[in-house]
Amino acid sequence: MRPLRAPSAVFLIAAPMLLLAQEPASFTPEERAAMTARRIAAAIGLDERATDKATGLLIDGEHQVAELRARMDETQREIDAQLIPYFEQLSVTLEPDQAAKLEALLASGALSGCCLERTAQATSGDAPGGSTAEPPTTGPAKPARTAKTTGGAK
């Protein structure tokens, strides 16, 4: 089994480096605003006119935060690059089939930055698979509210 780990480790080292060389899918402020407006429209039932109005407002907001998003993307690339040695160390401790699955996760970009949360949801069966280019339509689950009791009758 050990002879198979060396080729796996080599691929595991190369795959993230190839991913880091690729630019993440970046959207223009207009594209991002339109995606967000469509998600809002679907979630709260906006008609086409209200969706267009929301898109216009969100375009202004997206232009305002464009520089912050660029800095965030660069920071995420740095984080991903610093994690490579840890994925490499993990790979050599795995069985060959597990190392291959880890390689596939890394090659798909599923363990890269902001996509990590969606990977966890998809592997637990809570979220459908698919492209990570568009953020999920709903936020994290919130705990159900419970009625407060005073402990006795009044």
Side-chain angles (χ1 to χ4, degrees):
M1 292 290 182
R2 288 257 186 231
L4 294 176
R5 288 189 181 179
S8 295
V10 169
F11 181 77
L12 190 62
I13 293 167
M17 290 181 183
L18 291 173
L19 289 174
L20 289 173
Q22 298 174 357
E23 285 295 314
S26 59
F27 299 101
T28 66
E30 291 78 14
E31 291 168 332
R32 190 177 295 277
M35 286 188 309
T36 303
R38 285 193 307 268
R39 287 193 343 253
I40 292 169
I44 66 174
L46 296 179
D47 63 17
E48 188 174 332
R49 195 171 115 202
T51 302
D52 290 343
K53 183 176 181 176
T55 301
L57 290 169
L58 291 171
I59 287 172
D60 292 340
E62 286 296 336
H63 279 288
Q64 186 107 22
V65 300
E67 183 182 331
L68 290 172
R69 287 194 188 279
R71 286 190 287 175
M72 181 179 69
D73 290 343
E74 178 58 33
T75 300
Q76 190 59 62
R77 282 191 294 274
E78 291 175 23
I79 290 168
D80 292 343
Q82 289 187 23
L83 287 174
I84 289 172
Y86 299 96
F87 287 123
E88 292 167 358
Q89 290 174 22
L90 174 61
S91 177
V92 298
T93 67
L94 300 174
E95 295 298 320
D97 62 323
Q98 295 170 324
K101 289 177 184 177
L102 178 59
E103 290 169 18
L105 278 175
L106 289 167
S108 73
L111 295 178
S112 175
C114 66
C115 303
L116 190 57
E117 290 83 14
R118 293 203 55 196
T119 302
Q121 290 174 345
T123 57
S124 69
D126 295 339
S131 171
T132 58
E134 192 168 328
T137 56
T138 60
K142 293 182 181 168
R145 293 184 184 248
T146 57
K148 293 185 179 181
T149 61
T150 59
K154 289 190 175 186

